[in-house]
Amino acid sequence: VRNRIDPTPINLIDLYILTADYATDYLNWLKDLTGSVTEPTPPTSSSLEIAYSTLNDFKAVSDTMIYNPAKFKPLFGNKASSELQATFKVVKNAAVNTSDSEIKAQVLAGINSYFDTTNWDFGETFYFSELAAYLHMQLTPNISSIIIVPANNAESFGSLMQVNCNINEVITSAATVDNVKIITAITAAQINQAGAVVIS
């Protein structure tokens, strides 16, 4: 008696792949301020399947691998979606003699370091409290306080304190020095209190 094996796959394995080439090209586009760099197109599922075909050697006969291109979810800057754009408002430490431009550059460098791609995984949630704690640790004693205020007037203070993303997305920062503002104190006038709170 012959036994026939059913070739129909019963396990679907979703792979989310962020290639080094695409990540490099995307981050170069994100940081370009001249407009001369074109936003790169993510690889297709077909091209990923060809490039990573050796992974098929490690699956069972009943498994089917689905190759999904990962993508970035930029926050804060002009290249982010309008509901995810924001301004960082920073209070300098009055006891430290540091120029506004130096503070802005230090804040931006801290943000870029925090959002280094190697620090994030697919689907992770952004919490501003964690970023603020990191910036305070990195910039002490130059800053006294930092808050994030949505750029969109339709959104309220409290938006972007938490930002969720999909399983195929990696959060990154699109912030530039234009998204950092030095203020003397945190007052009601510095906080947008009207509108909805956005977290995704």
Side-chain angles (χ1 to χ4, degrees):
V1 179
R2 288 187 173 183
N3 293 322
R4 183 174 180 180
I5 299 175
D6 185 357
T8 305
I10 58 174
N11 296 319
L12 299 178
I13 302 173
D14 271 310
L15 298 177
Y16 298 98
I17 299 175
L18 179 65
T19 65
D21 287 344
Y22 174 68
T24 299
D25 291 345
Y26 186 90
L27 295 177
N28 286 339
W29 167 77
L30 204 61
K31 291 174 173 54
D32 172 58
L33 302 177
T34 66
S36 60
V37 179
T38 304
E39 181 178 2
T41 303
T44 64
S45 296
S46 298
S47 66
L48 289 174
E49 185 174 1
I50 293 171
Y52 296 92
S53 60
T54 54
L55 293 177
N56 290 319
D57 298 335
F58 301 96
K59 71 178 183 66
V61 174
S62 59
D63 295 342
T64 292
M65 289 185 174
I66 302 173
Y67 297 82
N68 301 288
K71 63 179 182 178
F72 286 99
K73 184 169 189 172
L75 306 180
F76 316 131
N78 291 336
K79 292 181 180 178
S81 300
S82 60
E83 69 274 11
L84 298 177
Q85 296 178 16
T87 301
F88 292 90
K89 297 191 175 183
V90 182
V91 180
K92 290 198 306 183
N93 182 352
V96 176
N97 186 21
T98 308
S99 69
D100 287 3
S101 59
E102 287 179 292
I103 294 292
K104 288 183 178 182
Q106 290 172 4
V107 170
L108 184 60
I111 292 171
N112 289 338
S113 175
Y114 183 81
F115 284 98
D116 187 289
T117 307
T118 59
N119 296 333
W120 293 81
D121 204 350
F122 302 122
E124 278 197 83
T125 299
F126 163 72
Y127 298 98
F128 175 71
S129 59
E130 295 178 354
L131 172 59
Y134 176 82
L135 293 175
H136 275 286
M137 181 177 66
Q138 296 295 313
L139 275 65
T140 298
N142 292 344
I143 68 171
S144 297
S145 187
I146 184 168
I147 59 173
I148 188 171
V149 178
N152 191 330
N153 290 329
E155 296 158 20
S156 174
F157 178 74
S159 292
L160 306 180
M161 290 293 185
Q162 173 183 332
V163 178
N164 304 322
C165 67
N166 296 324
I167 189 62
N168 66 325
E169 295 177 321
V170 178
I171 286 180
T172 191
S173 170
T176 68
V177 289
D178 293 334
N179 302 113
V180 182
K181 182 179 179 181
I182 307 300
I183 60 176
T184 55
I186 298 175
T187 64
Q190 297 291 352
I191 300 174
N192 180 13
Q193 295 179 314
V197 174
V198 174
I199 64 170
S200 64

